[in-house]
Amino acid sequence: MSKIMGALGAFLILALLAGCGGNDDNDIASIEGDMTEADVVELQPMTRVSGSLLYRARIALAPDAVALIQLMGATEEDDLILAEQRIQLDGRQVPIDFDLDVDAETLAQASDWRLQAVIQEAGRTRWLSEAIPLELGSGDQALGEVELMPYRDTALASIMNCGQRQIRAGHDGESLVLDVGGERFVLLPVEAASGARYEAKGDPETRFWSKGDQASLTLNGEEYPLCVAQGALPRPLQARGNEPFWRIDLDDRMTLSTPDEESQELAYELEHENSSVTLVHSMDMGMELRLEQGLCRDNMTGMPYPFKAELVRDGETHPGCAGDPEQLLQGVTWTVGLINDEAPLDGSRVTLRFMPEQRLAGVASCNNFMAGYELTGEGLSVQQAATTMKACEASLMEQEQKVLEILQGAQRFDINEEGELVLYSDQGQRLTARQGG
């Protein structure tokens, strides 16, 4: 397992956006790999790939060097990064041991697995391995020595999640090459007070600014939700549970709040159990917070969250949820497939896009609309929408009116087992939407 301290060093991690804001055809809903059901059964529940990174040259690594190890697989359409491990070296030199854990469900998304490793200094690639084929159907693989070669004009792409989006990018010399849903953006470095900032030449409205494991992204003036490196925790992050009530706020320090005691600020350490599970250890008291990426619903309000949480304290385990529910809404365009129990009229289109600063936009059937929305601990509400003034045939206008009524009466949302967004109104009506389409 890899351990990193709560205050992570700055490390630029980038990635492929599964589809850009307005191009729904490129949105990723679910990825079906090349593997058959029989192949999936043969995979063990959790597979570990381990080894040791080294190079032969007598060149010392800089104190801020970072090692990145990625397990990748191929689908019919593209390569997919299935898991990754980041190791902040803090002055350590080669050889560098690594162990990368990935579950069977993740491996089954692709085939032709391979591993590649890179060492970066100041956000720039310095050493790179060849892609090593893996035979994971036979279980754990101990690779032994993985030799790195000096970086020569090839960058190892990495991924970040921007809400429901994934983005991927890499360096080409001084430039940052960002691939977004079939489009390629070449960004140049610009001065920044902190982190690493890039802008498109002559277009400051297309920019990427990374600070540690998080980054802000704007493309053609459209702001995306906070981007977080895959496997990292977004911060600040809040976890909470009920019966008994508890809350933990995670930033540079961990703050524990309960009704029966004063808030306590604690130092903490992160431990990545695997690519989807992070353990948060208190360094001042015997307490552990386990965070697992995956849909979690509050057991009192039903509000969905992006992380499952378990607080272990004084020998007792307290379940809860964590993260920002907005991360489940933002970053993609949702295409409505059902209005209550009926499909939209043939040839019509209803879309929803939740954006930063609690803005909601889309197509209501005939007209485009814009509205504000609000998420509270109790649910979701949408303000009255402003629309364009185009006139369409009567049946389409009637459908549009129904859509707008459901939105204005929105009371809560959920993500169903198919990954679809379901908006529920206070009148028992609903909109069901999928990513892209």
Side-chain angles (χ1 to χ4, degrees):
M1 300 180 186
S2 62
K3 294 185 176 181
I4 54 177
M5 296 302 293
L8 292 171
F11 175 37
L12 176 61
I13 297 194
L14 310 161
L16 170 67
L17 186 57
C20 73
N23 189 352
D24 302 329
D25 291 337
N26 291 319
D27 288 347
I28 291 181
S30 61
I31 301 173
E32 297 181 356
D34 297 330
M35 302 182 67
T36 66
E37 184 175 350
D39 294 325
V40 176
V41 172
E42 293 174 0
L43 295 171
Q44 61 188 32
M46 188 68 68
T47 298
R48 170 165 292 189
V49 180
S50 59
S52 182
L53 306 182
L54 58 80
Y55 52 79
R56 305 299 178 186
R58 294 187 175 182
I59 301 174
L61 293 170
D64 66 346
V66 176
L68 173 64
I69 304 96
Q70 294 183 328
L71 193 158
M72 297 169 285
T75 69
E76 292 183 353
E77 298 178 356
D78 200 1
D79 286 342
L80 192 64
I81 299 174
L82 303 174
E84 66 180 23
Q85 181 184 10
R86 301 178 311 283
I87 305 173
Q88 185 76 40
L89 299 183
D90 294 326
R92 291 165 51 194
Q93 302 296 315
V94 294
I96 301 160
D97 294 333
F98 68 89
D99 44 61
L100 192 63
D101 296 308
V102 59
D103 57 51
E105 182 179 357
T106 300
L107 285 177
Q109 295 179 3
S111 60
D112 296 326
W113 304 294
R114 60 196 184 280
L115 180 136
Q116 193 167 29
V118 67
I119 293 179
Q120 295 185 332
E121 295 177 350
R124 300 295 305 278
T125 299
R126 299 303 183 193
W127 301 91
L128 183 69
S129 78
E130 294 183 351
I132 302 171
L134 303 174
E135 295 291 337
L136 301 183
S138 57
D140 295 350
Q141 286 208 335
L143 301 178
E145 295 181 349
V146 175
E147 186 170 356
L148 305 174
M149 302 300 292
Y151 169 80
R152 289 188 178 90
D153 206 28
T154 302
L156 175 64
S158 186
I159 64 174
M160 302 184 87
N161 297 312
C162 310
Q164 290 277 12
R165 282 288 185 218
Q166 286 191 337
I167 63 172
R168 181 175 67 187
H171 283 98
D172 181 5
E174 294 292 328
S175 301
L176 173 69
V177 180
L178 181 64
D179 292 300
V180 181
E183 292 187 76
R184 171 158 288 188
F185 300 85
V186 178
L187 282 63
L188 303 176
V190 296
E191 289 188 10
S194 60
R197 181 167 179 163
Y198 297 82
E199 290 182 358
K201 184 176 181 180
D203 179 17
E205 293 301 305
T206 294
R207 57 186 180 270
F208 182 94
W209 192 354
S210 72
K211 297 180 180 180
D213 284 327
Q214 302 186 159
S216 60
L217 173 67
T218 302
L219 297 177
N220 298 322
E222 181 180 355
E223 182 181 357
Y224 281 73
L226 177 70
C227 300
V228 181
Q230 181 165 292
L233 291 177
R235 278 173 286 178
L237 178 142
Q238 186 179 100
R240 58 170 60 206
N242 305 306
E243 299 176 350
F245 172 80
W246 59 270
R247 190 183 81 193
I248 286 179
D249 293 282
L250 204 63
D251 204 340
D252 292 333
R253 293 178 67 83
M254 172 196 294
T255 303
L256 171 66
S257 304
T258 68
D260 301 325
E261 54 190 333
E262 294 184 1
S263 296
Q264 305 176 61
E265 279 199 4
L266 309 167
Y268 68 91
E269 184 178 82
L270 299 181
E271 178 182 343
H272 293 296
E273 187 172 281
N274 56 53
S275 59
S276 61
V277 176
T278 300
L279 304 179
V280 184
H281 300 285
S282 165
M283 300 170 65
D284 299 323
M285 59 192 302
M287 185 174 69
E288 178 181 280
L289 178 65
R290 185 180 191 272
L291 298 169
E292 180 178 0
Q293 293 182 5
L295 190 66
C296 178
R297 295 181 180 87
D298 185 274
N299 60 9
M300 293 184 67
T301 66
M303 173 71 78
Y305 290 82
F307 289 89
K308 302 172 185 177
E310 282 186 348
L311 174 64
V312 180
R313 187 183 185 196
D314 299 329
E316 296 184 358
T317 300
H318 307 283
C321 298
D324 187 349
E326 280 191 317
Q327 293 291 305
L328 299 172
L329 295 171
Q330 293 183 355
V332 295
T333 296
W334 299 92
T335 298
V336 174
L338 288 175
I339 303 171
N340 295 318
D341 293 319
E342 298 180 358
L345 296 171
D346 289 345
S348 68
R349 183 171 174 80
V350 180
T351 65
L352 308 170
R353 185 169 179 83
F354 293 85
M355 298 180 291
E357 300 181 357
Q358 298 188 321
R359 294 172 295 136
L360 171 62
V363 179
S365 288
C366 173
N367 288 282
N368 297 336
F369 74 91
M370 177 74 73
Y373 73 92
E374 183 178 8
L375 275 176
T376 67
E378 302 300 319
L380 167 73
S381 61
V382 177
Q383 300 171 2
Q384 184 171 354
T387 70
T388 53
M389 302 300 291
K390 186 168 62 173
C392 297
E393 59 185 68
S395 59
L396 200 58
M397 298 303 293
E398 182 179 346
Q399 176 176 283
E400 176 167 291
Q401 184 61 32
K402 184 182 295 184
V403 169
L404 294 174
E405 286 177 358
I406 296 174
L407 287 176
Q408 190 169 345
Q411 197 170 47
R412 64 185 182 91
F413 81 95
D414 198 4
I415 305 294
N416 65 21
E417 293 181 356
E418 288 73 39
E420 296 172 320
L421 169 67
V422 186
L423 292 182
Y424 297 92
S425 80
D426 54 4
Q427 299 298 316
Q429 301 189 84
R430 66 187 183 280
L431 298 175
T432 304
R434 66 187 182 281
Q435 294 184 33

